Amino acid sequence: MAETANNPAPARAPEVVTTVTIPEEKGAKLEALPAPAPKAKNIPEEKAIIMTTEKAAPALSINALRAKSLSGILAMISFIVSLPILASVIWLLYMRDYDCENLLRLPRLQTGIGIALLFMFIISTAALFLRPKFPMPGFLLAVVPLLVMLTVGLALLGAYDMESRKILASPRWFKLKVDNPNNWNNIKSCIYDTKICDDLFLKSLTVKSYDFTMKKLSPIESGCCTPPAVCGMKFVNATSWIKGDNGAVNNTVPLDSDCDDENKLLDSDCDTWTNDRNVLCYDCQACKDGFVRTLESKWRKLGLFLVLMSLFLFVSHLFLFLATMWELVVVKENI
């Protein structure tokens, strides 16, 4: 009984050992064989790809960042340069009209230019948004209105000769309108109704002759309310003057020989002058010139503004277009 009990125990022990150790050795071999093979093949390829991308990325980013930063700076400059256009729109739409300016329908022109400048600001801003995808259409969209704006500004400055007669608010157009007797009669009545000369008369009651000659008068006050200085009249007050003994021009005042026509007009103004407050020098050529100079000072400033703004915007949009094209070329070279 003791022998039969002891014999099975040693026989079962080796069976347990073989079943436990053999799977572990086989499992270890099966796990070790396939695992190293993919790691040894895949790791060098991934490292090579990463190294090549890391070497190529700096060259692409530097050129692209330079082009994009330059385009962004120029776009911001173009937008900032266009802001005065928006300010001029407010100035034109809310600025008070000059006296008697409405007789020449200039307030309508002023409103029209203000609306046109508002559209110009919108177009210039829209061109900045079209620039990245459509550089050429965006550039043309901004340049064409700028050329029109430049032409109008040069016309208001009197850059043209014969053509400017048909352009509203140009110097020659003003002279043609003033030389028209019907227009001048209406303008003359309007100047009289504004009481400009009456106000000047009240201000000069306590002023002496020397002080009055040193006083700065507006073009309308000096041309319509007082006689020309070459007439040599004695001062009583702003609207009352005493002519010389012969009632002619004071020959002691030097006259320019190159301005004979102008001097003849001044001579006729001396004869036209009268102390009657209803007449004064409203029919003098000096009064017409004073009215024209008053309007020209305003419209010349507007013309100069249009010329400068159109040139600045054209240059900024041109450089922005070139920077955009450079950006596109850099991106294509690095693809």
Side-chain angles (χ1 to χ4, degrees), residues 118-240:
L118 180 60
F119 279 105
M120 183 65 234
F121 174 78
I122 296 174
I123 291 172
S124 178
T125 306
L128 298 178
F129 290 99
L130 292 175
R131 174 192 59 83
K133 295 182 178 180
F134 308 101
M136 181 61 73
F139 177 69
L140 295 177
L141 181 65
V143 167
V144 173
L146 287 175
L147 293 177
V148 177
M149 181 177 171
L150 176 64
T151 304
V152 174
L154 292 174
L156 294 178
L157 289 175
Y160 309 107
D161 293 330
M162 300 300 295
E163 293 82 357
S164 63
R165 296 180 179 181
K166 297 181 181 180
I167 299 176
L168 299 178
S170 62
R172 287 183 177 271
W173 183 84
F174 279 127
K175 292 179 180 179
L176 289 175
K177 290 294 181 181
V178 167
D179 291 337
N180 189 332
N182 295 328
N183 291 334
W184 180 245
N185 289 331
N186 296 328
I187 296 171
K188 178 175 63 175
S189 301
C190 179
I191 295 174
Y192 177 80
D193 294 337
T194 56
K195 306 296 182 182
I196 294 178
C197 296
D198 292 340
D199 294 339
L200 183 62
F201 166 75
L202 295 175
K203 294 177 182 178
S204 65
L205 289 176
T206 58
V207 177
K208 295 181 180 180
S209 175
Y210 176 78
D211 296 331
F212 183 79
T213 55
M214 298 298 295
K215 186 177 181 180
K216 186 176 181 179
L217 302 177
S218 67
I220 293 179
E221 288 176 342
S222 62
C224 303
C225 305
T226 61
V230 295
C231 297
M233 298 183 185
K234 295 181 181 179
F235 172 82
V236 177
N237 56 57
T239 59
S240 180

Side-chain angles (χ1 to χ4, degrees), residues 60 63-64 67 71 135 321-335:
L60 175 61
N63 293 330
S71 299
F321 171 73
L322 296 177
T324 304
M325 297 303 295
W326 178 49
E327 180 182 353
L328 295 176
V329 170
V330 171
V331 173
K332 289 182 180 179
E333 288 179 352
N334 289 275
I335 291 177

Side-chain angles (χ1 to χ4, degrees), residues 40-306:
K41 293 179 180 179
N42 294 333
I43 290 173
E45 293 179 359
E46 293 177 356
K47 288 183 179 180
I49 295 171
I50 293 171
M51 292 298 292
T52 53
T53 53
E54 287 180 354
K55 290 180 180 179
L60 175 61
S61 61
I62 290 175
N63 293 330
L65 286 175
R66 285 178 180 177
K68 289 182 179 180
S69 61
L70 180 60
S71 299
I73 293 173
L74 291 175
M76 183 63 66
I77 292 175
S78 299
F79 178 75
I80 294 174
V81 171
S82 64
L83 288 178
I85 295 180
L86 187 61
S88 67
V89 171
I90 300 173
W91 175 65
L92 287 172
L93 295 179
Y94 292 95
M95 184 180 61
R96 184 182 66 86
D97 300 333
Y98 284 5
D99 295 330
C100 310
E101 193 178 17
N102 57 344
L103 296 176
L104 301 178
R105 298 180 181 179
L106 292 178
R108 296 182 182 179
L109 176 63
Q110 178 177 316
T111 304
I113 293 178
I115 296 174
L117 288 177
L118 180 60
F119 279 105
M120 183 65 234
F121 174 78
I122 296 174
I123 291 172
S124 178
T125 306
L128 298 178
F129 290 99
L130 292 175
R131 174 192 59 83
K133 295 182 178 180
F134 308 101
M136 181 61 73
F139 177 69
L140 295 177
L141 181 65
V143 167
V144 173
L146 287 175
L147 293 177
V148 177
M149 181 177 171
L150 176 64
T151 304
V152 174
L154 292 174
L156 294 178
L157 289 175
Y160 309 107
D161 293 330
M162 300 300 295
E163 293 82 357
S164 63
R165 296 180 179 181
K166 297 181 181 180
I167 299 176
L168 299 178
S170 62
R172 287 183 177 271
W173 183 84
F174 279 127
K175 292 179 180 179
L176 289 175
K177 290 294 181 181
V178 167
D179 291 337
N180 189 332
N182 295 328
N183 291 334
W184 180 245
N185 289 331
N186 296 328
I187 296 171
K188 178 175 63 175
S189 301
C190 179
I191 295 174
Y192 177 80
D193 294 337
T194 56
K195 306 296 182 182
I196 294 178
C197 296
D198 292 340
D199 294 339
L200 183 62
F201 166 75
L202 295 175
K203 294 177 182 178
S204 65
L205 289 176
T206 58
V207 177
K208 295 181 180 180
S209 175
Y210 176 78
D211 296 331
F212 183 79
T213 55
M214 298 298 295
K215 186 177 181 180
K216 186 176 181 179
L217 302 177
S218 67
I220 293 179
E221 288 176 342
S222 62
C224 303
C225 305
T226 61
V230 295
C231 297
M233 298 183 185
K234 295 181 181 179
F235 172 82
V236 177
N237 56 57
T239 59
S240 180
W241 298 75
I242 301 175
K243 292 184 178 181
D245 296 336
N246 55 359
V249 179
N250 186 0
N251 294 325
T252 60
V253 179
L255 297 177
D256 189 359
S257 59
D258 297 333
C259 303
D260 292 337
D261 295 337
E262 183 178 355
N263 294 335
K264 290 179 181 179
L265 292 174
L266 291 175
D267 293 346
S268 63
D269 288 348
C270 296
D271 298 331
T272 305
W273 166 263
T274 177
N275 290 327
D276 187 357
R277 290 187 189 175
N278 295 325
V279 180
L280 294 177
C281 209
Y282 291 123
D283 291 324
C284 298
Q285 183 64 34
C287 186
K288 296 179 181 180
D289 294 339
F291 178 74
V292 170
R293 285 199 304 272
T294 301
L295 297 183
E296 280 184 352
S297 63
K298 168 188 172 181
W299 290 94
R300 279 182 180 274
K301 292 177 182 178
L302 179 59
L304 181 62
F305 172 78
L306 294 178

